[in-house]
Amino acid sequence: MALYEHVFLARQDLSQSQVDDLVQQYTGIIENAGGSVSKTESWGLKSLAYRMDKNRKAYYTLLNIEAPAEAVQEVERQQRLSEEILRSLTLKVDELEEGQSAMLRKDDRNDRRGGRGGRDRGPRR
């Protein structure tokens, strides 16, 4: 079976529990087709670079999938039919990334630096 990284963007007016229900629905489709989801990351509500379908923000979610191509195609088809999903992207990868993704590591790095910029500029004049 092939390995995939799948990211989808859900509308901003959904609640986090509704987004979690969508993740469970798509995970069920993959598992029924003989695949598995090894990691699910919710990146939270983030601003979009440009408006999509009158939305300025979206819930980002990452799924690491090991499944046959037909299962991933079915998930993509279901997402195209759903009004809750703004965009999705599926990439076939050679190996799945262990640990946190780059998006979550970026947030941790900013927290350690102490806000914006991360350097002490000294007293203001």
Side-chain angles (χ1 to χ4, degrees):
M1 284 191 277
L3 303 173
Y4 300 93
E5 287 185 356
H6 180 78
V7 177
F8 67 91
L9 282 62
R11 285 192 347 232
Q12 66 184 359
D13 58 347
L14 299 175
S15 67
Q16 184 62 45
S17 63
Q18 289 173 313
V19 175
D20 294 339
D21 291 342
L22 288 171
V23 170
Q24 291 300 319
Q25 176 185 347
Y26 300 137
T27 302
I29 292 170
I30 291 167
E31 289 173 351
N32 288 339
S36 65
V37 177
S38 61
K39 179 171 67 170
T40 302
E41 284 185 1
S42 176
W43 295 341
L45 186 64
K46 295 193 174 283
S47 296
L48 298 171
Y50 54 91
R51 260 202 276 181
M52 289 184 215
D53 299 332
K54 300 181 183 178
N55 290 284
R56 294 184 182 273
K57 294 185 176 192
Y59 286 98
Y60 286 66
T61 305
L62 167 74
L63 302 174
N64 281 351
I65 301 170
E66 181 176 356
E70 295 80 22
V72 176
Q73 289 171 355
E74 178 61 20
V75 168
E76 290 174 342
R77 187 184 77 79
Q78 292 288 332
Q79 288 179 341
R80 282 193 304 272
L81 294 174
S82 174
E83 293 181 4
E84 284 84 22
I85 305 300
L86 298 174
R87 296 282 191 278
S88 67
L89 175 69
T90 305
L91 298 174
K92 187 174 182 180
V93 294
D94 294 330
E95 62 184 51
L96 295 173
E97 186 176 344
E98 295 295 323
Q100 289 184 335
S101 65
M103 288 293 288
L104 291 181
R105 285 194 306 260
K106 181 179 80 168
D107 290 342
D108 291 343
R109 185 177 62 237
N110 288 342
D111 291 343
R112 282 182 280 168
R113 278 196 237 162
R116 301 189 321 189
R119 59 183 176 154
D120 186 19
R121 297 179 183 208
R124 291 183 97 176
R125 296 182 194 178

